[in-house]
């Protein structure tokens, strides 16, 4: 991306990552701008794709989704067609919160959120193992979440 962020843009992003529902007037006040230039900057960040979307963060326990599973999936072949089939399938499964193509021992790492272990077993047997080309799956259940953040680090590196 060729979009250059200055310190004000970074302050705007930092505040919005923590409190995305602030009014423009409140945001402007927090970052030290007047409302009109603040709104212009936010719109520019949105148009440039720096701000992709706005969302509410929901407590999974409030929805009885208390089990998080990390699944390492290895395919029997790492050819383009097989990768595409796997990735399209993962996109359709709402239980899969994150999916990463990996280096190392497995091809993909999935974070899956479900109500209980029995639901994971059903998902595993009814969806994941049914995909052609899946050679192995190693699952780890999270005991508890120690840290969670949706905010990206805004420091300069």
């Amino acid at each position: 991306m060729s979009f250059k962020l200055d310190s004000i843009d970074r302050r705007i992003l930092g505040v919005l990552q923590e409190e995305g529902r602030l009014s423009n007037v409140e945001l402007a006040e927090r970052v030290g701008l007047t409302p009109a230039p603040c709104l212009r900057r936010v719109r520019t960040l949105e148009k440039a794709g720096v701000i992709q979307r706005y969302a509410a963060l929901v407590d999974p326990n409030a929805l009885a989704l208390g089990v998080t599973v990390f699944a390492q999936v290895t395919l029997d072949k790492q050819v383009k067609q097989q990768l595409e089939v796997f990735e399209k399938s993962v996109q359709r499964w709402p239980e899969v919160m994150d999916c990463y193509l990996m280096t190392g021992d497995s091809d993909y790492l999935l974070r899956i959120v479900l109500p209980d272990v029995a639901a994971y077993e059903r998902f595993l047997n009814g969806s994941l193992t049914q995909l052609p080309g899946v050679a192995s799956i190693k699952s780890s259940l999270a005991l508890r979440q120690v840290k969670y953040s949706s905010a990206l680090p805004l420091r300069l590196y």
Side-chain angles (χ1 to χ4, degrees), residues 82-96 99 110 123 127-128 130-132 134:
Q82 202 165 38
L83 297 172
E84 287 173 355
V85 167
F86 183 85
E87 291 174 14
K88 284 180 184 174
S89 296
V90 167
Q91 294 292 333
R92 293 191 311 264
W93 297 329
E95 303 91 342
V96 177
C99 176
L110 281 62
F123 173 77
S127 298
L128 201 49
Q130 298 302 309
L131 284 180
V134 171

Side-chain angles (χ1 to χ4, degrees), residues 45-104:
L45 292 166
E46 291 170 346
K47 286 179 184 161
V50 176
I51 297 174
Q52 295 180 344
R53 66 178 184 245
Y54 297 89
L57 299 178
V58 179
D59 179 359
N61 293 311
L63 301 175
L65 296 171
V67 171
T68 299
V69 179
F70 293 92
Q72 296 176 320
V73 179
T74 303
L75 304 179
D76 58 8
K77 296 179 203 163
Q78 292 76 31
V79 294
K80 183 179 179 182
Q81 182 183 11
Q82 202 165 38
L83 297 172
E84 287 173 355
V85 167
F86 183 85
E87 291 174 14
K88 284 180 184 174
S89 296
V90 167
Q91 294 292 333
R92 293 191 311 264
W93 297 329
E95 303 91 342
V96 177
M97 303 303 297
D98 300 304
C99 176
Y100 297 93
L101 180 61
M102 304 295 289
T103 62

